[in-house]
Amino acid sequence: MKRIGILTSGGDAPGMNAAIRAVTRTALYKGMEVVGIRRGYNGLLHGDTFEMNARSVSSIIQRGGTLLYTARCPEFKEEAGVLKGVEACHELGIEGLVVVGGDGSYRGAGDLSRHGIACVGLPGTIDNDISSTDFTIGYDTAMNTVMELVDKLRDTSHSHDRCSVVEVMGRGAGYIAVNTALACGAVEVLCPEKPYDLNAIIEKMQASRKLGKQNFIIVVAEGIGHSQEIAKEIEEKTGIESRATILGHVQRGGSPTVRDRVLASRMGNYAVNLLEQGIGNRVVGVRGDKLVDYDIQEALQMKKPFDDDLYDLTQVISI
Ligand code: ADP
Ligand code: F6P
């Protein structure tokens, strides 16, 4: 394979730039040409592409966001859009494509692969909700951002003897919520994978208050939502002043952690190695510390287990 493309798709994630850099530099090292495609599949369909060289990816490893921009492209969910994409790849002389994104982006990559464009997907999302990998690019940075922000909230919560209800991202998944709850010493974590009983939480808080606990952090996953209402109900039933904070998109930004930069660099390199051998219709993941790859359709069928032990630990040490 002599010429490949790269795009980022879906929600951005810190470390996407490190992946773009690794793909570009590995390909150039191997004598391949690289086409940068802007704004996900949109760039492919509407000719928003450019030739990349070693300097195109200078000084981006430390930056959040994505040099290639990202977008959602509804047109690509239709067969006509996919066929247009295949045509665009032929016109651009692209034989292989690296797609950095989530499950939706993987589906698009699978569709292109079906039509003979060798695609390799890299898991780029802060949510860690991709079953074919233990860790996604951006997840570690997002959790560290949440931890830093919740630590700040704790300062003010402590000063006022308050309860802080903090809503964190994760779409339908509670991975960010459970890990940051543990890391921030939250008294409770509400996530979609586990049923919860607000009255039981309130009783637990009242008991803890009697034992001298003055301030409380409750982490709520985005998939549960209703943080304002939860804070209001807690305040009404316990008399403990409560405030809700929805952290929002700050969680998607910032300079990637070492872990995300290294993971993204390794995965980017691995993707190009696959394409060099003419292997497509694959996604890259990490199991333990080992990089692996799977057939895209197989990967999309996988289920990711929820870490019950970690959740149980948040309950044990939060009294
Ligand atoms: P993520 O990749 O983060 O899961 P989305 O689900 O928004 O994000 O998908 C990103 C993009 O991938 C979509 O805007 C669309 O262009 C493409 N995509 C999503 N689902 C499909 C599908 N079923 N078939 C083809 N392309 C898809
Ligand atoms: O998938 C990443 C994510 O940040 C989710 O946690 C969140 O639900 C969603 O994207 C928000 O998407 P948007 O960028 O469209 O607001």
Side-chain angles (χ1 to χ4, degrees), residues 158-236:
H158 175 86
S159 305
H160 288 264
D161 296 322
R162 277 179 178 160
C163 168
S164 264
V165 176
V166 192
E167 186 172 317
V168 303
M169 274 187 169
R171 203 177 288 183
Y175 303 106
I176 295 178
V178 170
N179 281 274
T180 57
L182 188 61
C184 299
V187 70
E188 251 327 313
V189 52
L190 276 49
C191 54
E193 293 85 353
K194 293 280 175 188
Y196 72 94
D197 174 353
L198 195 52
N199 286 325
I201 293 171
I202 285 167
E203 279 170 25
K204 180 175 164 184
M205 286 176 67
Q206 285 166 329
S208 300
R209 244 292 147 98
K210 281 197 186 121
L211 294 173
K213 189 169 173 62
Q214 290 297 97
N215 65 92
F216 302 83
I217 304 284
I218 297 181
V219 175
V220 176
E222 181 183 11
I224 298 284
H226 308 294
S227 304
Q228 303 282 2
E229 289 86 344
I230 291 170
K232 195 161 172 273
E233 193 171 338
I234 288 173
E235 181 164 311
E236 278 169 7

Side-chain angles (χ1 to χ4, degrees), residues 145-156 183-185 217:
T145 301
V146 170
M147 186 180 72
E148 206 177 294
L149 295 171
V150 175
D151 286 350
K152 290 185 201 297
L153 274 174
R154 184 185 276 280
D155 289 345
T156 167
C184 299
I217 304 284

Side-chain angles (χ1 to χ4, degrees), residues 10-13 72 102 124-129 168-173 176 222-223 248-249 251-252:
D12 66 348
R72 298 195 166 98
T125 167
I126 65 164
D127 299 346
N128 203 34
D129 60 347
V168 303
M169 274 187 169
R171 203 177 288 183
I176 295 178
E222 181 183 11
H249 287 79
Q251 295 164 92
R252 288 243 294 264

Side-chain angles (χ1 to χ4, degrees), residues 9-11 41 71-78 82 101-109 111 124-125 171:
S9 166
Y41 294 109
R72 298 195 166 98
C73 175
E75 200 183 342
F76 208 74
K77 291 189 181 174
E78 309 298 328
V82 175
D103 275 351
S105 306
Y106 281 4
R107 285 196 181 88
D111 289 343
T125 167
R171 203 177 288 183

Side-chain angles (χ1 to χ4, degrees), residues 45 73 108 141 152 157 222 226 230 255 284 301 306:
L45 301 191
C73 175
T141 306
K152 290 185 201 297
S157 184
E222 181 183 11
H226 308 294
I230 291 170
S255 183
V284 180
Q301 298 303 318
F306 186 70

Side-chain angles (χ1 to χ4, degrees), residues 26 120 265-275 284 291-293:
T26 304
V120 177
S265 300
R266 290 176 67 203
M267 286 181 163
N269 171 265
Y270 190 101
V272 177
N273 290 343
L274 288 175
L275 290 179
V284 180
L291 294 190
V292 292
D293 58 281

Side-chain angles (χ1 to χ4, degrees), residues 47-154:
D48 194 2
T49 64
F50 63 106
E51 297 294 319
M52 296 184 79
N53 59 43
R55 298 283 70 79
S56 314
V57 291
S58 291
S59 202
I60 63 164
I61 195 164
Q62 78 283 11
R63 281 166 44 197
T66 159
L67 164 88
L68 294 173
Y69 300 87
T70 185
R72 298 195 166 98
C73 175
E75 200 183 342
F76 208 74
K77 291 189 181 174
E78 309 298 328
E79 184 67 3
V82 175
L83 291 175
K84 197 172 161 189
V86 173
E87 194 53 42
C89 287
H90 289 151
E91 276 168 22
L92 288 161
I94 290 173
E95 301 160 276
L97 180 66
V98 179
V99 173
V100 191
D103 275 351
S105 306
Y106 281 4
R107 285 196 181 88
D111 289 343
L112 281 176
S113 298
R114 204 162 33 82
H115 291 284
I117 310 297
C119 292
V120 177
L122 299 185
T125 167
I126 65 164
D127 299 346
N128 203 34
D129 60 347
I130 300 184
S131 305
S132 50
T133 186
D134 292 348
F135 295 101
T136 57
I137 297 166
Y139 173 52
D140 187 59
T141 306
M143 287 195 296
N144 277 287
T145 301
V146 170
M147 186 180 72
E148 206 177 294
L149 295 171
V150 175
D151 286 350
K152 290 185 201 297
L153 274 174
R154 184 185 276 280

